[in-house]
Amino acid sequence: MAKATIDDVAALAGVSMKTVSRVVNKEPNVRASTREKVQAAIAQLEYRPSQSARSLAANRSYVLGLLYDNPSASYVIDVQEGALQTCRRAGYDLLIHPCRHNEPELADEVLALVRHSRVDGLILTPPLSDITQLVDGLVEAGVPFVRLSPTENKQACPYVQTNDQEAAYDMTCRLLELGHERIGFIAGHPDHRAVAERYQGYLAALKESRIKFDKTLVVQGYNSFDSGRECAAQLLGMNDRPTAIFASNDDMAAGVIIEAHHRGLAMPAELSVAGFDDTPVAHQIYPSLTTVSQPITEMASKAAELLVKQLQGKAVQMPAAIMSCRVIVRDSTGKR
Amino acid sequence: MAKATIDDVAALAGVSMKTVSRVVNKEPNVRASTREKVQAAIAQLEYRPSQSARSLAANRSYVLGLLYDNPSASYVIDVQEGALQTCRRAGYDLLIHPCRHNEPELADEVLALVRHSRVDGLILTPPLSDITQLVDGLVEAGVPFVRLSPTENKQACPYVQTNDQEAAYDMTCRLLELGHERIGFIAGHPDHRAVAERYQGYLAALKESRIKFDKTLVVQGYNSFDSGRECAAQLLGMNDRPTAIFASNDDMAAGVIIEAHHRGLAMPAELSVAGFDDTPVAHQIYPSLTTVSQPITEMASKAAELLVKQLQGKAVQMPAAIMSCRVIVRDSTGKR
DNA sequence: AAGTAAATTGACAGCGCTGTCAGTACGCCT
DNA sequence: AGGCGTACTGACAGCGCTGTCAATTTACTT
């Protein structure tokens, strides 16, 4: 059976091509009885509109682009899943586009992607959400986009974020409550602003406590396992070493745990460790990692929704969705 | 500047639309001087062909579909990366399509995807590579596809696979060489044939050694961390417990390591553990995991290449690419 | 130099759909 | 019953490209 076209459906239903088009696109002003006739014909012929033809005629692709440069496979997969949930509901496809956030030609590359009518809109994930050049380029070109966890220029486009800093604050408070007074902190990659800003939560909690801030306890990390391990070596090599280390993400926390193992430190008895993100590794290591879980899939799904709304011309209120993180207590933290 | 069309280029280059089309599509029989004129015009106008128009006219989408139902984020990401490498080179886009391998409607769902002219061809990853109904459906519908690591029906379509069993054999031999005589084995999920068949390598190595096979040392796992941990509990609870455990994948091996930690077993002194896949967790746990690395990205890239070749009508020799795994020795294995 | 095959080029008709706009049917008013 | 506004429907012209096929030019023969 050759693939049915809109004409076939129109003929079978006894209406015009255009009316079939209206039904398919859920346009208003079609009589209920007509709609049913058309739907019956569609079902009978197993008609599916041709994406290419729709795209050409309507000058949209019905495809969303997902841009990322994130070293965490689980993060990316979760984002993809969330975005796909919305895409499937809304009849869009998802094109994935990994790229390098420090590539100078990034903005051009992405604009090319859009200009060639391959995608109708974009979803940016950290750290791309904070690449000014890219964001500005998109705004200037009038490309619809949404961002996940941006830290600045928030009026540029709708976005979805979590209360990261608050969660980092909570986590620090918990460590303080456990009696830790010297809490090491491994800061996130400066390019990765959303991660880097978790530091503010740490600071806030310390400020609230009576404990005085010791800046030698803060080490600059770069989000990777290896970087976490190096930072841990530095912190644990101090004469007056911290009794707890809070790393800005799980990969670095895993590095801390390994380094502690190699130094023969019992966890949590001699060292408490906390991470952030609740990646799979968090419960696959020993001891299992106390961390913060973000609703990544939902964030991505929500972001895609905001984007689709934008594409449908519906106004999206700017100060967009803010979702909540959740501290997950596992075995890597304990009383001092 | 409005987006340039093929007519604009043709006018500027002083040739016909069709000739521009020939240049763009790298068709033969265009004089070198003409080609250059056209290319200059293309560059000057920053012309990019409209995907939708090409698709509509040529009746292909220039999009490959990537089907997966794999719980391992790192595996999926690597496959995506490899596939994208080829896609970018060949001018294709990649549509990702996660799905459920045990969904009864799977074949219909996928065929719908293809019929709606959204993708020109498909890449299947395990365990989908071995879903007979799906594979047969695709063959019957004449949809071009390639598979990663199929275990059966290999003449159905081109494929790329690794010498898994051989690597499992090698790994087992290494454990035997280290003096282990009771080597526990955690088998892979039966639906996940490629993983499940690693068992054959284990068997082969044992058979070759003088050691007699003890079937109580073989436990059925289901590829997950939790399942690995449960299997380990069973193996380590035996009176005459194994001195080494070889898990069919890293997630399960990580489960083994956790369970061993909880039982206070020193690794590798009291227990050697080996995994398979070299996922990120392998070097993030303590002790770091001896495992087998597969060139996943290259496999996927190669698979996409085979698919593109097929789509271009070039014949692809059936018994396709076989790539090599590599044993990676880390700290989780040692002498008995 | 004429003749033939091969290389190169262009004219044109769609691909299957949507946007525009004009037309027809219907509901409700006086 | 006539008039008017609104709901509904259809005719038609492209969207920007590729396939077909015929026309033209070039290359190579004898």
Side-chain angles (χ1 to χ4, degrees):
Chain A
M1 164 192 64
K3 217 165 39 174
T5 73
I6 200 170
D7 294 286
D8 302 329
V9 177
L12 180 58
V15 300
S16 78
M17 221 164 70
K18 182 64 210 182
T19 298
V20 176
S21 171
R22 288 197 179 90
V23 171
V24 168
N25 292 291
K26 301 187 179 38
E27 285 174 31
N29 299 336
V30 176
R31 195 176 323 193
S33 60
T34 308
R35 186 187 311 279
E36 278 159 27
K37 264 192 315 189
V38 171
Q39 281 168 339
I42 288 176
Q44 185 178 333
L45 296 175
E46 296 188 5
Y47 166 73
R48 302 292 156 197
S50 145
Q51 284 305 307
S52 335
R54 304 180 82 184
S55 304
L56 182 58
N59 195 30
R60 331 174 238 160
S61 62
Y62 301 93
V63 173
L64 304 185
L66 174 63
L67 257 45
Y68 55 86
D69 176 19
N70 197 301
S72 163
S74 66
Y75 180 84
V76 174
I77 288 286
D78 285 350
V79 169
Q80 289 179 353
E81 190 192 321
L84 277 171
Q85 280 174 9
T86 296
C87 282
R88 289 185 177 174
R89 252 198 316 270
Y92 278 78
D93 279 325
L94 185 69
L95 216 62
I96 56 176
H97 193 89
C99 48
R100 304 282 140 228
H101 75 274
N102 43 15
E103 156 81 40
E105 315 272 327
L106 176 62
D108 291 339
E109 173 192 332
V110 172
L111 283 173
L113 184 75
V114 181
R115 280 227 198 78
H116 309 351
S117 66
R118 293 176 106 122
V119 301
D120 292 339
L122 293 170
I123 303 172
L124 313 202
T125 65
L128 302 174
S129 306
D130 284 317
I131 304 297
T132 311
Q133 204 184 348
L134 175 59
V135 172
D136 290 351
L138 292 175
V139 170
E140 196 177 324
V143 179
F145 68 108
V146 295
R147 290 182 290 171
L148 286 181
S149 307
T151 66
E152 56 183 24
N153 204 3
K154 294 196 185 174
Q155 73 295 345
C157 75
Y159 61 88
V160 180
Q161 69 171 186
T162 51
N163 57 345
D164 272 43
Q165 293 182 40
E166 195 180 319
Y169 167 88
D170 287 348
M171 179 66 88
T172 310
C173 288
R174 277 168 190 267
L175 292 172
L176 289 166
E177 280 162 22
L178 287 168
H180 296 281
E181 302 195 332
R182 292 185 60 72
I183 302 175
F185 188 84
I186 304 183
H189 196 303
D191 283 0
H192 214 114
R193 303 284 296 268
V195 175
E197 292 200 350
R198 291 169 187 172
Y199 178 48
Q200 302 308 324
Y202 165 80
L203 278 188
L206 280 193
K207 185 168 290 174
E208 236 185 60
S209 78
R210 66 213 168 288
I211 296 171
K212 79 171 209 297
F213 172 64
D214 177 353
K215 82 171 184 192
T216 65
L217 287 174
V218 178
V219 188
Q220 179 65 58
Y222 296 94
N223 291 13
S224 69
F225 172 81
D226 289 335
S227 131
R229 183 160 180 186
E230 284 162 23
C231 294
Q234 183 179 330
L235 287 169
L236 297 176
M238 294 169 62
N239 286 332
D240 188 12
R241 67 170 158 78
T243 61
I245 295 180
F246 181 10
S248 297
N249 77 358
D250 283 355
D251 281 351
M252 294 195 290
V256 173
I257 284 184
I258 290 291
E259 182 61 25
H261 274 303
H262 277 273
R263 288 169 181 257
L265 293 174
M267 288 165 281
E270 294 172 279
L271 179 71
S272 284
V273 181
F276 207 113
D277 286 343
D278 195 28
T279 57
V281 77
H283 70 273
Q284 295 184 351
I285 55 181
Y286 183 84
S288 60
L289 186 65
T290 293
T291 186
V292 176
S293 162
Q294 300 186 71
I296 300 172
T297 303
E298 286 134 76
M299 289 172 71
S301 165
K302 182 73 191 173
E305 251 170 52
L306 292 176
L307 184 53
V308 168
K309 249 185 209 148
Q310 235 180 304
L311 294 175
Q312 292 171 344
K314 297 175 193 160
V316 174
Q317 74 294 12
M318 266 311 168
I322 299 202
M323 320 194 83
S324 284
C325 297
R326 194 160 51 87
V327 171
I328 305 215
V329 178
R330 294 209 182 87
D331 302 336
S332 65
T333 47
K335 288 202 172 152
R336 188 174 84 102
Chain B
M1 165 191 65
K3 214 164 45 175
T5 74
I6 199 169
D7 293 285
D8 303 328
V9 177
L12 180 59
V15 298
S16 78
M17 220 165 69
K18 182 64 209 181
T19 297
V20 177
S21 171
R22 288 196 180 90
V23 172
V24 168
N25 292 291
K26 301 188 180 37
E27 284 174 32
N29 299 336
V30 176
R31 198 178 323 208
S33 61
T34 309
R35 186 186 312 278
E36 279 158 26
K37 263 193 314 192
V38 171
Q39 282 167 338
I42 287 176
Q44 186 180 331
L45 298 175
E46 296 189 4
Y47 166 73
R48 301 294 156 198
S50 145
Q51 284 307 305
S52 335
R54 305 180 81 184
S55 304
L56 182 59
N59 196 28
R60 339 175 231 158
S61 62
Y62 301 91
V63 173
L64 304 185
L66 174 62
L67 257 44
Y68 54 85
D69 176 19
N70 197 302
S72 163
S74 67
Y75 179 85
V76 173
I77 288 287
D78 286 348
V79 168
Q80 289 179 353
E81 188 191 322
L84 277 171
Q85 280 174 10
T86 295
C87 282
R88 289 185 177 174
R89 252 199 316 271
Y92 279 77
D93 280 325
L94 186 68
L95 216 62
I96 57 177
H97 193 89
C99 47
R100 304 281 141 229
H101 74 275
N102 42 16
E103 156 79 41
E105 316 272 326
L106 176 61
D108 291 339
E109 173 191 333
V110 172
L111 284 173
L113 185 74
V114 180
R115 283 228 197 77
H116 309 353
S117 67
R118 293 175 107 122
V119 302
D120 291 340
L122 293 170
I123 303 173
L124 313 201
T125 65
L128 302 173
S129 306
D130 285 317
I131 304 297
T132 311
Q133 204 185 347
L134 175 59
V135 172
D136 291 351
L138 293 175
V139 170
E140 196 178 322
V143 179
F145 67 108
V146 295
R147 289 181 291 170
L148 287 181
S149 308
T151 66
E152 56 182 23
N153 204 3
K154 295 197 184 173
Q155 73 294 343
C157 75
Y159 61 88
V160 180
Q161 68 171 185
T162 50
N163 57 347
D164 271 42
Q165 293 182 41
E166 196 179 319
Y169 167 88
D170 287 348
M171 180 65 90
T172 311
C173 289
R174 277 168 190 268
L175 292 172
L176 290 166
E177 281 161 22
L178 287 169
H180 296 282
E181 302 194 333
R182 293 184 59 71
I183 304 175
F185 188 84
I186 304 183
H189 196 301
D191 283 359
H192 214 115
R193 303 284 296 268
V195 176
E197 291 200 351
R198 292 170 187 171
Y199 178 49
Q200 303 306 322
Y202 165 80
L203 278 187
L206 281 193
K207 186 168 287 174
E208 236 184 61
S209 78
R210 66 213 169 289
I211 296 171
K212 80 170 206 299
F213 172 64
D214 177 353
K215 80 170 183 191
T216 64
L217 287 174
V218 177
V219 189
Q220 179 66 58
Y222 296 94
N223 291 13
S224 69
F225 172 80
D226 290 334
S227 130
R229 182 159 182 188
E230 284 162 23
C231 294
Q234 183 178 332
L235 287 168
L236 297 176
M238 294 169 62
N239 288 331
D240 189 10
R241 66 169 158 78
T243 61
I245 294 180
F246 182 9
S248 296
N249 76 0
D250 283 356
D251 280 351
M252 293 195 291
V256 174
I257 284 183
I258 290 291
E259 182 61 24
H261 274 302
H262 278 272
R263 288 168 182 258
L265 294 174
M267 289 166 279
E270 294 171 279
L271 179 71
S272 283
V273 181
F276 207 114
D277 286 343
D278 195 29
T279 56
V281 76
H283 70 273
Q284 295 184 350
I285 55 180
Y286 183 84
S288 61
L289 186 66
T290 293
T291 185
V292 175
S293 162
Q294 298 187 70
I296 300 172
T297 304
E298 286 135 76
M299 289 172 72
S301 165
K302 182 74 189 172
E305 251 170 51
L306 293 176
L307 184 52
V308 168
K309 250 186 206 148
Q310 235 180 304
L311 294 175
Q312 293 171 342
K314 296 175 193 162
V316 174
Q317 75 295 7
M318 265 312 166
I322 300 202
M323 319 195 85
S324 285
C325 297
R326 193 161 51 87
V327 170
I328 305 216
V329 178
R330 294 208 182 87
D331 302 334
S332 65
T333 48
K335 286 201 175 155
R336 188 175 82 103

